[in-house]
Amino acid sequence: MQVTFEINKTSRNLLLQFLENHSLEQLNKIPEGFSNNLIWNIGHIVVVQQMLVYKLSGLPMMISEEMVDTFKKGTKPEREITQEEVDEIKMLLFSTLEQTKEDFANDIFDEYMEFTTGVGFTVKSAKAAMEFNNYHEALHTGIIMQIKKFI
C-alpha cells in the first residue's frame, strides 16, 4: 500500500497547485464545451475517494453529506463554490489521505460492498478501492489539465 499512498500524495500535491495558482473565478469557470470546472473536479476527487473506501466499507466518511451531494458522480456545478469551500477542499485533500493511510495501518477495513465502476472494473476490497482511486484521480487530473487551457 505504500506505493499506492505515495502515488495518491503526488496526485494531491498536483491538485493543490491548481487550487493555489488559480483565482476563485477561474476555479468556478466552466469553459465552453465542458460540463464542469476545476473546483468541481477536485471536490469530486475527494468525495469519490471517501465513497469508494469508506462508504462501501460501511464506515463513516470524513466529509459532509452536503459535499457528497455537490460533487458525487452524476452531479455538475449548480452554483459557484465559495472561498471557504475551496479552503475546506484544500484541507481535505491531505487530511483524508492521512487518515486513510492511518486507517489502513490500523486494519479497520473488515467488510466491503463489491462495486463495479463505470469503466467496468469490479472493486472487491478497500485496498482495491484505494488502488482504483488513483486511476480515477488521474482521469480527473487529465480533465483538469484540459479545462486549464480554456480558462
Side-chain angles (χ1 to χ4, degrees):
M1 288 295 294
Q2 182 178 347
V3 172
T4 299
F5 283 110
E6 287 175 21
I7 291 167
N8 199 232
K9 186 173 183 182
T10 301
S11 171
R12 299 292 175 101
N13 280 320
L14 181 60
L15 297 172
L16 178 63
Q17 294 305 308
F18 283 99
L19 292 175
E20 291 184 339
N21 295 319
H22 292 84
S23 68
L24 186 60
E25 180 182 349
Q26 289 173 315
L27 291 171
N28 277 295
K29 182 176 173 60
I30 302 173
E32 187 176 330
F34 289 86
S35 60
N36 52 49
N37 52 31
L38 294 175
I39 194 61
W40 183 89
N41 278 279
I42 297 170
H44 175 73
I45 283 170
V46 171
V47 165
V48 167
Q49 184 269 338
Q50 288 291 292
M51 293 180 78
L52 279 173
V53 177
Y54 287 88
K55 186 172 185 176
L56 291 173
S57 293
L59 297 169
M61 296 185 291
M62 295 172 252
I63 56 174
S64 69
E65 283 302 317
E66 180 185 2
M67 188 172 184
V68 172
D69 290 342
T70 302
F71 297 109
K72 69 184 175 184
K73 181 179 178 176
T75 64
K76 62 182 181 177
E78 300 291 336
R79 62 175 176 78
E80 297 234 330
I81 299 302
T82 66
Q83 185 60 53
E84 291 77 20
E85 290 170 304
V86 171
D87 293 342
E88 179 184 18
I89 290 168
K90 189 185 294 189
M91 182 268 306
L92 287 168
L93 278 175
F94 296 98
S95 65
T96 55
L97 178 60
E98 288 307 312
Q99 186 63 53
T100 303
K101 190 175 182 180
E102 186 177 315
D103 289 342
F104 270 97
N106 291 328
D107 202 26
I108 72 161
F109 301 100
D110 295 327
E111 299 176 16
Y112 196 81
M113 185 178 3
E114 199 172 286
F115 170 75
T116 301
T117 69
V119 296
F121 179 77
T122 301
V123 181
K124 297 180 180 182
S125 69
K127 180 181 182 292
M130 199 60 209
E131 292 168 348
F132 177 80
N133 181 69
N134 282 342
Y135 167 80
H136 178 260
E137 288 195 20
L139 284 176
H140 283 276
T141 300
I143 294 167
I144 289 167
M145 290 176 174
Q146 287 298 310
I147 290 172
K148 181 183 176 215
K149 294 178 182 180
F150 297 99
I151 59 170

